Amino acid sequence: QVGFQESELSEGIPDGINTQPVDETIPLEGFTLSVTADNIGAKQRGEVQTVTFDQDVFGDWSSDTFQNGVLKYVSNEGTYTTQLDLDENEIEQGKRFMLDLGIVYSPVTVVVNDIEIGKVEFVPYEIDVTSALKQGINTIIIKTQPLGNNRRIGFREYYNETKDPEYIYYGKYIEYIAGLGGKEEVINTGIEGPIQLNVYQADVQADKGILNSVIAYAEAAKESGEYDNAIESVQKSFDAALENAKTVAGNAAATQEE
């Protein structure tokens, strides 16, 4: 986990990947953010409570200026929710909808109309939600799961301030991690956005040019330190996605949706 915490997540798609032009962009607004934790607005454990924000919900949780810093030391899951009304023309057959999450600091899971679409952990922070969308009201839920680093940092700071023996482990633990080159400060957490739907007109014949470019980029990333620094569960997800991409690329009968 220490190695992954040190990794720097790049923004967007590398210049070398030729992406398909977006035909239309639909901004997603009206999000709320709900978080349940026992250390909201505090460095130490306390009563479990749920807070829901409906203004300025996108930003870095670890910042003192985001929601007055009440999520700075929180490592519990956060749930962003909104609704989108699509009419018959917008949802017409042949269109493909990619959910673009913008800048993302923590792994996310996307759920549309009670259908779990999948996890998003690497750039580009996009996922195809076409199959789950419908005419009318669509509910979009984005769950983000921060690492435990910031919670431990809060406990460490609380111990240093109070010398409460309940938290002595965290004071020593952070010192130990720092000695290994790990983080001894809060790390970026949450979603910056902006979040939008990128709409594409589907091609009649499957074009694998972008897929092959992404595979090449992924294989190069796997040989780099970025892959080695990721935690084991993230590496497994990455490997599975790469193998699936190779399977589709090698299938002459694969559709553009695949």
Side-chain angles (χ1 to χ4, degrees):
Q1 288 186 340
V2 176
F4 181 70
Q5 291 166 8
E6 289 185 311
S7 299
E8 295 184 2
L9 304 182
S10 57
E11 301 173 9
I13 303 173
D15 294 336
I17 294 182
N18 180 26
T19 59
Q20 178 183 351
V22 177
D23 295 299
E24 180 186 359
T25 297
I26 303 176
L28 296 183
E29 301 172 338
F31 274 94
T32 60
L33 168 61
S34 294
V35 181
T36 299
D38 65 355
N39 64 332
I40 293 174
K43 298 176 180 178
Q44 75 280 17
R45 300 183 188 92
E47 182 179 348
V48 175
Q49 58 180 310
T50 299
V51 294
T52 299
F53 307 99
D54 57 12
Q55 299 290 329
D56 302 319
V57 301
F58 294 110
D60 178 7
W61 293 13
S62 69
S63 171
D64 290 323
T65 61
F66 178 72
Q67 302 296 344
N68 296 317
V70 299
L71 300 181
K72 183 172 184 176
Y73 302 107
V74 172
S75 294
N76 293 66
E77 180 181 84
T79 302
Y80 300 83
T81 305
T82 193
Q83 290 187 323
L84 174 68
D85 190 358
L86 293 174
D87 61 33
E88 183 178 1
N89 293 330
E90 290 174 309
I91 202 69
E92 68 184 23
Q93 187 175 6
K95 288 186 177 181
R96 185 165 59 97
F97 296 83
M98 298 291 292
L99 181 63
D100 183 347
L101 300 171
I103 299 174
V104 176
Y105 295 126
S106 309
V108 304
T109 300
V110 175
V111 178
V112 178
N113 296 326
D114 296 324
I115 300 172
E116 183 171 318
I117 305 300
K119 299 183 184 298
V120 182
E121 298 172 314
F122 294 97
V123 293
Y125 297 108
E126 293 185 346
I127 191 167
D128 193 329
V129 296
T130 308
S131 60
L133 292 175
K134 62 182 181 181
Q135 181 179 342
I137 302 298
N138 294 268
T139 300
I140 299 174
I141 297 174
I142 303 167
K143 301 177 182 180
T144 183
Q145 179 58 65
L147 297 174
N149 179 82
N150 293 358
R151 179 178 176 86
R152 292 191 292 266
I153 293 296
F155 290 169
R156 188 276 303 268
E157 292 184 4
Y158 183 73
Y159 171 75
N160 288 342
E161 294 169 1
T162 66
K163 300 304 179 184
D164 185 333
E166 179 182 348
Y167 295 88
I168 187 173
Y169 165 80
Y170 297 97
K172 301 301 181 182
Y173 173 81
I174 298 300
E175 293 177 5
Y176 170 73
I177 293 299
L180 297 178
K183 289 287 187 182
E184 54 179 331
E185 58 187 23
V186 292
I187 59 176
N188 301 128
T189 298
I191 301 175
E192 287 272 7
I195 297 181
Q196 62 190 28
L197 276 180
N198 292 333
V199 186
Y200 303 86
Q201 294 292 342
D203 299 328
V204 176
Q205 183 177 1
D207 180 359
K208 299 177 182 176
I210 297 175
L211 176 62
N212 290 328
S213 296
V214 172
I215 290 173
Y217 171 73
E219 289 179 330
K222 190 170 181 178
E223 298 299 322
S224 70
E226 182 177 358
Y227 176 87
D228 293 335
N229 286 336
I231 60 177
E232 182 178 358
S233 62
V234 173
Q235 288 182 350
K236 288 182 178 179
S237 296
F238 182 91
D239 291 340
L242 179 56
E243 287 305 312
N244 183 60
K246 289 180 177 179
T247 299
V248 174
N251 181 9
T255 64
Q256 191 67 50
E257 181 178 352
E258 291 177 303

